[in-house]
Amino acid sequence: MTDLGGTSDAVAFVGEWHGPVVATAVHAGHELRPAIAEAMVLDEAERFREEDPFTDRLAAVVPDRVVTTRSRFEADLNRPRREAVYRTPDDCWGLDVWRDGDLSDELFEGSLATYDAFYDALAPRLDRLAERGPFVLLDVHSYNHRRDGADEPPAPVSENPEVNVGTGSLDHDLFGPLVERFMGDLRDASLGCGPMDARENVAFEGRNLAWWVHDRYPRVGCVLALEFKKTFMDEWTGELHDDRFRRAQQGLAAALPGLHDELARLR
């Protein structure tokens, strides 16, 4: 792992970043800066359940990637800046997070600094990728599907695919064939890992990171916001299911060559 200058300890970069496929896992972090940890009353297990544990290991199938260590409860890197710090329960699923019921202005500003450090560090690296032509950023997340309880039925499969590919802000005229190739490869059992139930924009369409990239690099940047359903782990205990997780890793890795093929056609 290398911290390539000008970043905080909350963000670092792995790989050479020569492109054209890179990855992020902005909700994988669990760490908190000490002042935030002291102010927080949210149970750690409950916080872990709302984070995206292990998605950094999914993103690691991509050699060039961003590593972020801080919890989304310090700064949510996938929300617009004005919404990035959870100050009240209304900001985060009704959870009571802070000792005094609200977050102080001082701690709020410190968390915004964490947010800004991420985007300030990412921008110049993506600028250099964009100079070479179209690129793909895989924004790797996960989502809960047993919110009613550990012993209750899971959410309906019809509305909760194994992999939700979010493309809400993507230029479909240009990148539509790339998206179809990617989802087709995830579904293709002949690649040695599937088939995976991959569907587009069923439960999630991608948020701020995708918006930011698509706005900054029109007709060049392509973000696929990937939400892996937490069938690879027990979302209530945090236990990882090794075999299922390995299949998810293999599925994502098997779809990478197709992305390179499609980008080559665009170039």
Side-chain angles (χ1 to χ4, degrees):
M1 184 188 304
T2 55
D3 185 335
L4 301 182
T7 70
S8 78
D9 62 356
V11 56
F13 296 82
V14 174
E16 298 299 324
W17 279 70
H18 294 156
V21 178
V22 299
T24 60
V26 297
H27 288 160
H30 187 65
E31 296 177 8
L32 300 167
R33 70 183 193 276
I36 285 288
E38 176 63 26
M40 186 174 290
V41 295
L42 181 67
D43 177 80
E44 185 173 6
E46 193 164 18
R47 173 162 65 90
F48 190 72
R49 187 161 59 248
E50 298 298 346
E51 295 162 345
D52 294 354
F54 310 114
T55 52
D56 54 337
R57 291 170 56 183
L58 284 172
V61 303
V62 180
D64 298 327
R65 59 192 185 277
V66 187
V67 175
T68 50
T69 59
R70 299 292 179 81
S71 171
R72 68 189 301 174
F73 286 87
E74 178 171 330
D76 190 329
L77 304 176
N78 202 34
R79 289 192 182 187
R81 190 177 189 274
R82 66 183 180 276
E83 303 172 13
V85 181
Y86 309 154
R87 301 196 72 170
T88 69
D90 288 343
D91 296 331
C92 52
W93 312 283
L95 297 173
D96 292 317
V97 178
W98 309 113
R99 190 173 309 283
D100 298 322
D102 196 353
L103 188 66
S104 71
D105 289 343
E106 180 181 3
L107 293 179
F108 173 76
E109 293 297 330
S111 292
L112 284 182
T114 298
Y115 181 92
D116 291 340
F118 170 77
Y119 282 96
D120 289 347
L122 182 60
R125 288 154 181 85
L126 292 186
D127 288 349
R128 290 193 288 272
L129 287 189
E131 290 173 357
R132 304 184 188 111
F135 67 87
V136 167
L137 187 153
L138 298 178
D139 181 27
V140 183
H141 298 266
S142 63
Y143 73 98
N144 295 325
H145 69 121
R146 307 190 70 96
R147 286 197 172 275
D148 291 340
D151 299 321
E152 298 299 320
V157 171
S158 61
E159 301 169 8
N160 296 271
E162 198 71 20
V163 186
N164 183 102
V165 181
T167 63
S169 59
L170 183 142
D171 185 336
H172 282 81
D173 289 340
L174 181 63
F175 292 114
L178 180 149
V179 174
E180 290 302 318
R181 170 72 180 274
F182 179 73
M183 292 196 302
D185 285 349
L186 289 178
R187 296 169 183 149
D188 189 351
S190 71
L191 296 180
C193 57
M196 300 180 75
D197 173 23
R199 286 176 271 160
E200 189 176 3
N201 298 329
V202 176
F204 307 93
E205 296 187 354
R207 284 208 74 191
N208 189 72
L209 182 55
W211 301 341
W212 180 83
V213 169
H214 293 151
D215 182 65
R216 187 178 179 94
Y217 311 104
R219 298 187 64 80
V220 176
C222 172
V223 176
L224 303 180
L226 309 181
E227 294 274 358
F228 284 81
K229 186 162 60 173
K230 289 185 181 176
T231 51
F232 61 81
M233 64 177 291
D234 186 319
E235 66 191 56
W236 286 93
T237 67
E239 179 185 2
L240 184 66
H241 302 318
D242 290 329
D243 288 345
R244 294 177 185 174
F245 185 71
R246 193 175 304 110
R247 284 197 294 272
Q249 288 176 309
Q250 292 169 344
L252 184 55
L256 297 182
L259 291 179
H260 286 273
D261 289 346
E262 295 300 322
L263 287 169
R265 291 190 182 96
L266 290 172
R267 288 167 183 253

